[in-house]
Amino acid sequence: SDSLLFLCARRIVAHHPLPILPALPAHLYPILFQAAFLDGRPLVLRDLVAAWPFPVLNFQRLVGRRELLRDHPCKLCVQAVILAVVAQLRWELEEPGRDSSGCRLRVLDVTGVPDDPAGRAPDGMSVWSGTMALAKACVEVSKHQREFQRRGSKRHKGRSGAATAAAAPQPPGVDVHADLFVNGTSYGILRDALQTGATSPLRLKCREFQAEKLSLAGIVSLLESLDPSCVRRVDLRFRNLGLTGLSVILPHLSRFPELRSLKLQYSNVDVRRPTPESAIGIRCLAGQLGMLPSLRELNLGSSRLSGNLRQILCDLQAPLESLELAFCSLVPADLAFLSQSFHAPALKRLDLSGHDFSQGLLEPLRLLLEETSASLLHLDLMECRMADSHLEALLPTLRRCSRLRFLGLYGNSLSTAALKDLLQKTLELPDLHLVVYPFPVDCYKPEPPRRVPGSRRIYEEPMDGERLAAATAEISQLLANSGRTDLVWTYNPYGHGALDYFSL
């Protein structure tokens, strides 16, 4: 429930302008900011930022949990804060040395604002649109700075005019800490914003960098323009880089001392058939990964690595805590290497989705889970062709994963009986909060799916709705009887907010 102070703050921000703002005690600014943000009051936010009495404004600390950010209007409020910062910096450029506004803001941290790429919320903001807004703001402030310097040089005629203008007091500016997402549409404006550099009054400091479908040269250009001190994650997806492209990009990552997470899914690495060229490429990849001393998370999803995992990970300086190898065509030797490596006891997150555990991979998987059981928090085994007998073989080892929080089994051929047995035997895991289970095989219709009349591509769902409802009711009843109100079982693999490495 809301505190009395917060309820009062909501009443105050319902009115604009705020008549009490000039005399407001500094310690009330955060609660007013929170109320204005959660109630969608962009004009009030603008006024609060213009007189912000602290050096740092951190969205997530002020507003609270990500769930609150996700469930409230966001876009107009974030834009209002950015525009207020731009207005303040323009004022400082025009009136250097004067501080009558009382604004002491020097760091704006907008990291952690939930992504809404599909526009599910009426006023949601995606990381892409946030990146665009920040990049445009940086370019605008830099342009205003150049115009101010030109005007200053014209006012001071003679040979020393430009030097006199350059020597005028410059505002300390604001560092903006943000997560950036770039594609072909936003590349140009983000490149221009990053290239304004440290001399600009508004400076982008990237925490997490995600690029999608960019050219090799474009990725390298942006990586070279990022401030190296803040980057903790680089996520390059859907680019078909291959070993050749990765050998071009990875050397540029060694300048990021705090890089902990590297995601390279859909990079089109295929080393299933060894060649002299692929052997050289693997050695190069391994050496470059070894140049990232802080790396703790690696995603090589959809690369075909059969038999080469040891060679790829052999130069890493520290054990990985998160390893995503979905649809990587792994063979028993790869899992055997993992179970014997120094990574296994440190793994908190493991994704082996898309492998066939109905054959020779099952025993290597069981041995690997034995080695990770003391640390593992998140396990994805979706679409792994597992039947009841395979789950039964793994269940004793799963029960030893005493810290497990998430278990993904969607897309496997498991029966209602096997799922009920799994539920009852994993109730003892105190931290398990989410299980994504498959549609039970006994809930499918016996006849093959049929084409819907009048359509060439759409087929009738082969699921028997009544059977599925009955199975779901049985699982729900078992949960209710267990008293584990914190435990969620769902057959929907989407929208449940999978654990991120940095939240583990």
Side-chain angles (χ1 to χ4, degrees):
S1 60
D2 293 333
S3 67
L4 180 60
L5 179 60
F6 184 71
L7 291 173
C8 292
R10 295 185 75 172
R11 291 292 298 271
I12 291 172
V13 300
H15 304 282
H16 180 267
L18 300 182
I20 62 171
L21 195 55
L24 192 69
H27 70 274
L28 293 179
Y29 272 73
I31 193 72
L32 287 172
F33 186 97
Q34 184 184 65
F37 191 93
L38 295 180
D39 284 353
R41 308 285 182 182
L43 296 179
V44 175
L45 288 171
R46 181 196 65 188
D47 293 347
L48 287 169
V49 173
W52 195 250
F54 307 107
V56 178
L57 193 162
N58 184 306
F59 265 70
Q60 209 165 6
R61 289 179 189 168
L62 286 170
V63 179
R65 303 186 309 277
R66 289 178 64 89
E67 291 79 7
L68 288 176
L69 284 165
R70 188 181 295 114
D71 295 339
H72 288 78
C74 181
K75 187 172 186 178
L76 292 178
C77 291
V78 174
Q79 289 175 336
V81 172
I82 295 171
L83 292 175
V85 172
V86 170
Q88 177 63 27
L89 291 175
R90 292 185 63 157
W91 185 87
E92 290 179 0
L93 283 168
E94 295 290 349
E95 303 288 342
R98 293 182 59 182
D99 192 27
S100 59
S101 72
C103 181
R104 293 180 172 83
L105 182 63
R106 293 296 166 252
V107 175
L108 173 64
D109 191 330
V110 294
T111 58
V113 176
D115 190 17
D116 185 29
R120 290 181 294 271
D123 191 23
M125 191 170 202
S126 67
V127 175
W128 181 87
S129 58
T131 299
M132 288 286 285
L134 288 170
K136 289 177 180 177
C138 289
V139 171
E140 179 185 342
V141 172
S142 180
K143 180 180 178 182
H144 190 76
Q145 181 187 40
R146 292 194 301 271
E147 291 174 351
F148 170 73
Q149 290 173 344
R150 278 200 299 270
R151 291 199 303 268
S153 63
K154 288 180 180 179
R155 285 197 298 268
H156 298 83
K157 294 182 179 180
R159 295 177 60 186
S160 62
T164 303
Q170 296 297 312
V174 172
D175 291 335
V176 182
H177 294 254
D179 301 328
L180 303 178
F181 171 67
V182 59
N183 56 19
T185 306
S186 55
Y187 168 75
I189 187 70
L190 181 60
R191 176 201 58 205
D192 294 345
L194 292 172
Q195 290 179 352
T196 59
T199 59
S200 174
L202 190 60
R203 300 171 291 269
L204 272 180
K205 306 284 185 178
C206 178
R207 184 184 71 158
E208 298 188 7
F209 176 80
Q210 180 180 331
E212 188 171 289
K213 297 181 180 179
L214 277 192
S215 69
L216 201 59
I219 294 173
V220 170
S221 173
L222 294 180
L223 290 175
E224 284 295 293
S225 301
L226 295 176
D227 185 309
S229 64
C230 303
V231 179
R232 71 177 190 177
R233 168 176 285 158
V234 170
D235 183 348
L236 308 175
R237 57 178 62 186
F238 303 111
R239 182 51 194 87
N240 293 328
L241 294 166
L243 286 173
T244 302
L246 290 177
S247 69
V248 173
I249 286 173
L250 291 184
H252 297 277
L253 302 183
S254 60
R255 57 191 293 269
F256 303 135
E258 301 301 319
L259 183 67
R260 296 179 65 84
S261 171
L262 177 60
K263 291 177 170 282
L264 300 170
Q265 60 268 48
Y266 307 106
S267 289
N268 196 27
V269 173
D270 189 347
V271 290
R272 288 174 293 181
R273 296 190 180 119
T275 65
E277 293 77 13
S278 69
I280 294 172
I282 290 172
R283 286 197 297 270
C284 181
L285 173 61
Q288 290 163 346
L289 291 175
M291 297 296 291
L292 308 175
S294 298
L295 190 65
R296 297 296 181 273
E297 177 177 52
L298 180 62
N299 184 338
L300 295 172
S302 296
S303 294
R304 277 78 75 192
L305 306 179
S306 304
N308 291 281
L309 196 60
R310 178 191 299 272
Q311 293 89 328
I312 291 171
L313 303 183
C314 65
D315 288 343
L316 289 178
Q317 301 179 34
L320 293 170
E321 296 175 348
S322 175
L323 183 58
E324 297 178 75
L325 298 170
F327 299 93
C328 280
S329 303
L330 299 181
V331 298
D334 294 313
L335 296 188
F337 155 72
L338 266 186
S339 63
Q340 297 162 12
S341 71
F342 72 157
H343 304 291
L347 282 174
K348 298 179 181 179
R349 180 188 184 116
L350 179 63
D351 187 350
L352 295 174
S353 298
H355 290 93
D356 185 354
F357 289 112
S358 67
Q359 302 297 327
L361 285 175
L362 186 65
E363 181 60 15
L365 171 64
R366 191 190 65 78
L367 295 174
L368 174 58
L369 293 181
E370 289 277 357
E371 297 300 321
T372 65
S373 59
S375 60
L376 196 62
L377 307 178
H378 183 111
L379 177 62
D380 259 340
L381 296 174
M382 300 192 187
E383 298 185 30
C384 288
R385 300 189 182 183
M386 289 172 55
D388 291 1
S389 59
H390 310 120
L391 181 61
E392 183 180 4
L394 284 180
L395 194 49
T397 306
L398 285 174
R399 294 172 69 182
R400 293 188 57 189
C401 298
S402 57
R403 301 176 61 196
L404 195 66
R405 300 180 192 171
F406 171 89
L407 176 61
L409 294 171
Y410 187 83
N412 290 291
S413 300
L414 304 175
S415 69
T416 302
L419 291 172
K420 289 164 61 178
D421 184 55
L422 173 67
L423 190 156
Q424 291 172 319
K425 290 181 178 177
T426 54
L427 287 173
E428 64 198 44
L429 300 178
D431 296 329
L432 186 62
H433 294 310
L434 179 62
V435 176
V436 180
Y437 65 92
F439 296 118
V441 290
D442 47 287
C443 293
Y444 284 89
K445 295 177 181 178
E447 68 273 9
R450 293 173 297 175
R451 184 176 300 166
V452 175
S455 172
R456 295 183 177 181
R457 300 181 181 178
I458 301 175
Y459 291 81
E460 284 187 0
E461 175 59 58
M463 186 63 57
D464 187 316
E466 291 185 3
R467 292 181 183 178
L468 179 61
T472 303
E474 289 183 60
I475 290 172
S476 299
Q477 188 61 53
L478 284 175
L479 280 175
N481 294 342
S482 73
R484 285 289 304 271
T485 57
D486 61 323
L487 177 56
V488 175
W489 273 58
T490 177
Y491 53 73
N492 180 6
Y494 307 107
H496 47 70
L499 289 174
D500 182 75
Y501 165 71
F502 290 105
S503 66
L504 292 176

